[in-house]
Amino acid sequence: MKTTEQTALITGASSGIGYELAKVFAQNGYNLVLVARNTDRLNEIANELRDQHGLETVIVIGKDLTQPNAPQEVYDEVKGFGVDINILVNDAGMGEYGLFATETDLDKELSIIKLNVVALVHLSKLFLKDMVRVNEGKILNLASVVSLMPNPYMAVYGATKAFVLSFTEALRNELKDTSITVTALLPGATNTDFFNKAGAEGTRAHQQAQTADPAKVAADGYAALMKGNDKVVSGLMNKTQALLSNVLPDQLTSQTMRKLMERPDESEESKTPSTASTLISLAVIAGGLYWAYTKYGLPGVLKKVNIE
């Protein structure tokens, strides 16, 4: 274990990628402030990480970040402990599956915006001011590969993640003359409880997620953060989709994502879920590359996807 006197605050730390990020920071000797609604689960994780890594400080803050005052309350509690946050990880997020006009719940979608956007902005404002004061710090924002393309059936979720990426890139520019870096982590569908909570279980994207390890996503995010990179797309398939988003028109990327977000028909159910969803993804990628090649030619495609 590496030793450090620094502290990382991680939201959404009770499960999924947030939990895996907490483990990565603990392995590297960071003290932790863990934030989520499930206080009991956070206490279990805190005890686990203290025992395994001998951390001096692991603070648990149970808070529902969809509530307007929650970010300020988190900041005030951290200050009450006398802790300085060196790294802020805005991981907390949620989604809602269905057609926006007729199927999804408005209150749930407004809560998604409050958590994925408002709380992230609020926490960043509070802790970034402290980082600027001492000219030191890092922020990791959990975006998504859907930050780069429209996301039918999860339209509000996809839009919030597009905001996160744009916000991250803008902050990087504003902070370019400081020692503070801001990084966006862009995973694709990952094997967490996200799809079940969003009501998107059984979709092709959910099936594809079964082979995507959240620990690998966390490791990629941590490495990019430490290097001060602007963003990292985790996973080869996701990297390919991200490249195609620079080439294909929005209408085609929207239809591609809609296909992935749909539930498979009976003909696909005869295949193993991961195989079926992977075949769909590969077919979409192959079709996209062919379309781009016929429209732009090879030099044009390489220029658009910035391959050097």
Side-chain angles (χ1 to χ4, degrees), residues 13 18 20 22 60 82 100 113 128 151 173 197 203 210 219 254 286:
E20 297 297 337
V60 165
F100 175 79
I113 295 170
L128 189 54
N151 193 31
N173 180 267
K197 291 178 178 177
T203 59
Q210 305 310 304
S254 294

Coordinates of all heavy atoms in Angstrom, one line a residue, residues 13 18 20 22 60 82 100 113 128 151 173 197 203 210 219 254 286:
A13 N -20.7 5.9 -3.0 CA -19.7 5.0 -2.6 C -20.2 3.7 -2.1 O -19.4 2.8 -1.7 CB -18.7 5.6 -1.6
G18 N -18.6 3.4 -7.7 CA -18.2 4.2 -6.5 C -17.6 3.4 -5.5 O -16.5 3.8 -4.9
E20 N -16.0 0.5 -6.0 CA -14.7 0.1 -6.5 C -13.7 1.2 -6.5 O -12.5 1.0 -6.2 CB -14.9 -0.4 -7.9 CG -15.8 -1.7 -8.1 CD -15.2 -2.9 -7.3 OE1 -14.0 -2.9 -7.1 OE2 -16.0 -3.8 -7.0
A22 N -13.6 3.6 -4.2 CA -13.2 3.7 -2.8 C -12.2 2.7 -2.5 O -11.2 3.0 -1.8 CB -14.5 3.4 -1.9
V60 N -17.9 8.5 7.3 CA -19.1 8.1 6.6 C -20.1 9.2 6.8 O -20.4 9.7 7.9 CB -19.7 6.8 7.2 CG1 -21.2 6.6 6.8 CG2 -18.9 5.6 6.8
G82 N -12.7 18.8 10.4 CA -11.4 19.3 10.2 C -10.6 18.7 9.1 O -9.3 18.6 9.2
F100 N -39.8 8.7 -22.9 CA -40.0 9.9 -22.1 C -41.4 10.4 -22.1 O -42.0 10.8 -21.1 CB -39.1 11.0 -22.6 CG -39.2 12.4 -21.9 CD1 -38.7 12.6 -20.7 CD2 -40.0 13.4 -22.5 CE1 -38.9 13.8 -20.0 CE2 -40.2 14.6 -21.9 CZ -39.6 14.8 -20.6
I113 N -32.0 14.6 -12.5 CA -31.3 15.9 -12.8 C -30.7 16.5 -11.5 O -29.5 16.9 -11.5 CB -32.2 16.8 -13.5 CG1 -32.7 16.3 -14.8 CG2 -31.6 18.2 -13.6 CD1 -33.8 17.1 -15.4
L128 N -14.1 23.0 -4.9 CA -13.1 23.6 -5.8 C -12.6 24.9 -5.3 O -11.5 25.3 -5.5 CB -13.8 23.8 -7.2 CG -12.9 24.1 -8.4 CD1 -11.7 23.2 -8.5 CD2 -13.7 24.2 -9.7
N151 N -29.3 9.1 -26.2 CA -29.6 7.8 -25.6 C -31.1 7.5 -25.4 O -31.7 7.7 -24.4 CB -28.9 7.8 -24.2 CG -28.9 6.5 -23.6 OD1 -28.7 5.5 -24.3 ND2 -28.9 6.4 -22.2
N173 N -10.5 23.9 -18.8 CA -10.0 25.1 -19.5 C -9.8 26.3 -18.5 O -8.8 27.0 -18.5 CB -10.9 25.5 -20.6 CG -10.3 26.7 -21.4 OD1 -10.7 27.8 -21.0 ND2 -9.5 26.5 -22.3
K197 N -32.0 -0.8 -11.0 CA -32.6 0.3 -10.3 C -33.3 1.2 -11.3 O -34.3 1.9 -11.0 CB -31.5 1.1 -9.5 CG -31.0 0.4 -8.3 CD -29.9 1.2 -7.7 CE -29.4 0.5 -6.4 NZ -28.3 1.2 -5.8
T203 N -32.4 -5.5 -21.1 CA -32.1 -4.8 -22.4 C -30.8 -5.4 -22.9 O -30.0 -6.0 -22.2 CB -32.0 -3.3 -22.2 OG1 -31.0 -3.0 -21.3 CG2 -33.3 -2.7 -21.7
Q210 N -22.9 -7.5 -18.4 CA -22.6 -8.6 -17.6 C -21.1 -8.9 -17.7 O -20.5 -9.6 -16.8 CB -23.4 -9.8 -17.9 CG -24.9 -9.6 -17.9 CD -25.4 -9.0 -16.6 OE1 -25.1 -9.4 -15.5 NE2 -26.0 -7.8 -16.7
A219 N -10.3 1.3 -12.0 CA -8.9 1.4 -12.2 C -8.5 2.3 -13.3 O -7.6 3.1 -13.2 CB -8.3 0.0 -12.4
S254 N -28.3 7.8 -32.7 CA -29.5 7.6 -31.9 C -30.1 6.2 -32.1 O -30.6 5.6 -31.2 CB -30.5 8.7 -32.2 OG -30.0 10.0 -31.9
A286 N -19.6 -2.2 -37.3 CA -19.2 -2.5 -38.7 C -20.0 -1.7 -39.7 O -19.4 -1.1 -40.6 CB -19.4 -4.0 -39.0

